[in-house]
Amino acid sequence: MTCPLLSFVVFLAVVVLQLVAYCKAALIDSSGSFGRLKDDSLWTAHYDPASLQLHMNTVRNISLRLDGFTAEDLQDQPDIQLKSERSHVATVLQGSIPVVEIKDNGIYEGEFNVSGSFLGSANLYVELRRKDNQTVTSKEKLPVTVIREERVIDKVFTISVAVLVSILYINFGAALDIPTLKVIARKPIGPIIGFFAQFLFMPLLSYGLGHVLFPDSYELQLGLFFTGVSPAGGASNIWTVVLGGNLNLSLAMTTISTFAAFGMMPLWIFTLGKTIFSKGNLGVPYRNIASFAIGLVVPLGIGLLIQRYSPRTARILVRILKPMAAILILFIVIFAIVTNLYLFELFSWQIIVAGLGLPWIGYIFGYIASKIARLPTTDALAISVETGIQNTGIAIFLLRFALPQPEADLTTVVPVSAAIMTPFPLMALYLVLKLRERQSSHSMSRSFPGVRYGRMN
C-alpha cells in the first residue's frame, strides 16, 4: 500500500506546484502589462545575417543598418548601442553607435563583432537612451546561438571508456557462476524487484523531482526524466563487485534492463513524457540501445569461453577484477569531469539536488524493497546499486537527438550532474566496509597472535 500512496502524494504535490506556478506567471504578466510606454518611433534595425550561430570563444562579424531616424529621435545626442540580452552568452564588442555617423536621411550602416561567451541563446537589439534616461529599444532583434565545438578529447573519452568496459566485461564473463544463474532463473525474485524499481519507481521519481525542482524549465525536466527512464548502467556491475554484492544477480538485472528498455523507454516517453515534451515528436535511439546490448553480451560471451576452455586464464582474470573495476571507476569520474568542465558554470542548487536525489533515493528504495522481500544482503546490495545507477550515456544521447543545439548541450547538465553525484555514497560505503574489514582483522590478530588471516577467493 505504500507505493500507490507515495505515488499519489507525489502526483498531488506536482499538480499543486504547477497551479501555483501558473497563477504566479499570470499575476506577473498582468502586472507587467501596466505602466508600459507606447513607443511611436518609426526607426527600424536590419541585421546581416538575419540569425547568427557561432562557437564558444569565437568572434563573428555582423552588419547593422538602421533607418527611419527623425530629428526628434536624435535630439540632444542620445546614446545608441547594440546590446545583448544575455551578455554571459553573447557579447557585442564596442557596440556604441555615434550619432554623427547617422546620415541626414536617417540611415546608419556599420559593422560589429559579436563574441560567443558561453552555450545558450541570446538576442541582440539596438537601444536608444535619451538624456532623461528614457530608453527605446528596437523591435527587430538578432537571434544569436552559441554552441560547443566538437573536440578530439570527447571522442578519445568515448572510445577509451568503451574499450576499458569491454575488457572488464570479459573479466565478468570469466567470473560468472553458471549454476548460480540457473538458480536465479528458477526463482527470479531479485530480477523482478529490480525491474519494477528500475522501470516504475525511477521514472515516477524523476518526473516528480523534475516538476518540483524545475517548474519553469521543460528542458531540464526532460533531462531528469530521460535519465530516470534510461536502463541501468554498466557501472552498476562494477560497483556490485567492489562492494561485495551478488555479481551474477547484477549482470542478470543489467541484461534484462537493457533489453526491456526497448519497450519501456518508448512507453514512458510517449505517455508521461508527453506532458513534459508537448511536441511528442521524439524518436527512441533503438540503434544506440542495441549497440549497448551487443557491447554487453559479446564480451561476456568471450569471458565465458575463456572460463570453459582456459580455467587458468579465467582465475587470473577473476583475481584482477576488483582492482580493474576500481581503476575504471576513477578513470570515468575524473575524465568525465575534465571533459565537461564547462557545464559546471550551469550548476545551480536545483541541478545539484536533482543529481543527488535521483540516484540516492533509488539506492534507498532498492535496498528497502529487497529487504521487505527478505532477500540476503548481497542480493539487496546488488538491487540497490542497480536501481540507483542509470545509463546516463543513453540519456545524453536522447537529449541530443530530441533537442536542437545549444539546448541539447545545456540539458545534458542534468544527467552529467547525476553521473557525478552517483558514486559518492557508494565510495563512502566502500570506505566503511574497508575500515570494518581492517578493524576486524586487527581484532582477530590480537586475539590469536602468531596466526595470519587472509581472504579466501
Side-chain angles (χ1 to χ4, degrees):
M1 295 296 293
T2 305
C3 293
L5 181 60
L6 179 61
S7 301
F8 176 75
V9 171
V10 171
F11 174 77
L12 187 62
V14 168
V15 171
V16 172
L17 286 169
Q18 286 183 318
L19 287 174
V20 170
Y22 175 79
C23 294
K24 182 179 178 181
L27 289 172
I28 291 174
D29 290 341
S30 62
S31 63
S33 63
F34 295 102
R36 290 179 180 174
L37 295 175
K38 185 177 180 181
D39 178 24
D40 294 325
S41 299
L42 298 178
W43 60 272
T44 58
H46 305 275
Y47 309 94
D48 186 19
S51 61
L52 182 65
Q53 184 181 89
L54 69 163
H55 292 114
M56 288 174 55
N57 303 317
T58 60
V59 177
R60 288 278 303 276
N61 181 267
I62 65 165
S63 298
L64 173 65
R65 174 187 170 93
L66 304 174
D67 56 35
F69 279 110
T70 64
E72 184 180 356
D73 293 327
L74 301 177
Q75 67 182 358
D76 298 328
Q77 297 270 323
D79 180 31
I80 304 176
Q81 290 189 344
L82 177 63
K83 304 180 72 173
S84 172
E85 289 180 349
R86 304 176 71 192
S87 57
H88 70 283
V89 173
T91 306
V92 181
L93 306 179
Q94 299 177 346
S96 296
I97 302 170
V99 175
V100 294
E101 293 187 10
I102 299 178
K103 301 175 183 178
D104 294 337
N105 57 3
I107 294 177
Y108 166 85
E109 291 181 339
E111 294 185 348
F112 294 90
N113 290 323
V114 180
S115 174
S117 304
F118 195 70
L119 294 175
S121 300
N123 288 320
L124 302 188
Y125 64 96
V126 179
E127 179 185 87
L128 185 150
R129 182 182 295 273
R130 299 190 176 97
K131 295 297 182 182
D132 56 2
N133 286 329
Q134 289 187 356
T135 61
V136 179
T137 60
S138 60
K139 300 179 179 66
E140 302 80 19
K141 298 182 180 181
L142 172 64
V144 179
T145 302
V146 181
I147 62 176
R148 181 172 62 94
E149 188 174 8
E150 289 294 330
R151 303 165 299 173
V152 175
I153 192 173
D154 298 321
K155 296 181 179 179
V156 171
F157 175 61
T158 303
I159 295 172
S160 58
V161 170
V163 171
L164 289 174
V165 169
S166 298
I167 295 173
L168 190 63
Y169 268 77
I170 293 175
N171 290 28
F172 284 153
L176 271 178
D177 187 358
I178 303 301
T180 304
L181 286 177
K182 292 180 179 179
V183 172
I184 293 173
R186 287 195 297 266
K187 193 177 181 182
I189 298 176
I192 290 173
I193 294 174
F195 177 85
F196 282 102
Q198 183 74 51
F199 287 114
L200 180 61
F201 178 76
M202 294 300 283
L204 292 176
L205 174 64
S206 62
Y207 181 82
L209 278 178
H211 279 78
V212 171
L213 294 174
F214 313 114
D216 300 321
S217 175
Y218 86 93
E219 293 94 350
L220 294 181
Q221 290 179 28
L222 279 176
L224 190 59
F225 184 68
F226 284 0
T227 305
V229 301
S230 297
S236 60
N237 311 131
I238 301 171
W239 277 111
T240 299
V241 171
V242 171
L243 297 175
N246 188 337
L247 173 62
N248 295 287
L249 176 59
S250 178
L251 289 170
M253 288 190 298
T254 300
T255 305
I256 293 170
S257 172
T258 300
F259 287 105
F262 281 91
M264 297 306 297
M265 288 177 67
L267 176 65
W268 282 114
I269 290 171
F270 291 111
T271 54
L272 194 61
K274 277 190 176 181
T275 64
I276 306 174
F277 194 23
S278 58
K279 295 180 180 180
N281 186 22
L282 180 64
V284 179
Y286 288 104
R287 182 179 298 179
N288 186 270
I289 300 174
S291 300
F292 178 76
I294 294 171
L296 172 70
V297 172
V298 170
L300 280 176
I302 295 173
L304 286 170
L305 291 175
I306 293 174
Q307 182 184 150
R308 180 178 179 85
Y309 295 105
S310 183
R312 183 178 179 182
T313 305
R315 286 193 294 269
I316 296 173
L317 293 176
V318 172
R319 192 174 298 117
I320 65 173
L321 181 58
K322 281 192 177 182
M324 273 198 64
I327 291 172
L328 179 60
I329 289 171
L330 289 174
F331 176 81
I332 292 175
V333 171
I334 294 172
F335 211 154
I337 292 174
V338 171
T339 54
N340 296 286
L341 280 175
Y342 70 95
L343 288 178
F344 284 93
E345 296 185 36
L346 297 174
F347 270 46
S348 61
W349 70 265
Q350 294 97 330
I351 289 174
I352 294 174
V353 170
L356 290 170
L358 186 64
W360 293 24
I361 295 174
Y363 294 142
I364 296 171
F365 179 84
Y367 191 84
I368 292 176
S370 304
K371 281 302 182 182
I372 291 175
R374 298 182 179 180
L375 295 179
T377 301
T378 54
D379 289 6
L381 186 60
I383 294 172
S384 172
V385 173
E386 193 76 13
T387 302
I389 294 181
Q390 306 296 110
N391 193 322
T392 53
I394 288 181
I396 292 171
F397 182 87
L398 271 171
L399 291 170
R400 291 184 175 177
F401 178 83
L403 301 175
Q405 293 291 358
E407 287 81 3
D409 270 341
L410 290 171
T411 53
T412 58
V413 68
V414 178
V416 167
S417 175
I420 292 172
M421 303 301 174
T422 293
F424 289 127
L426 304 178
M427 289 178 180
L429 179 59
Y430 175 73
L431 292 175
V432 169
L433 293 175
K434 295 301 290 185
L435 287 174
R436 283 186 177 180
E437 182 181 335
R438 181 169 297 182
Q439 289 177 354
S440 176
S441 71
H442 281 322
S443 62
M444 293 183 71
S445 62
R446 289 175 183 174
S447 301
F448 301 95
V451 178
R452 184 176 179 180
Y453 289 86
R455 293 190 64 179
M456 298 291 292
N457 289 328

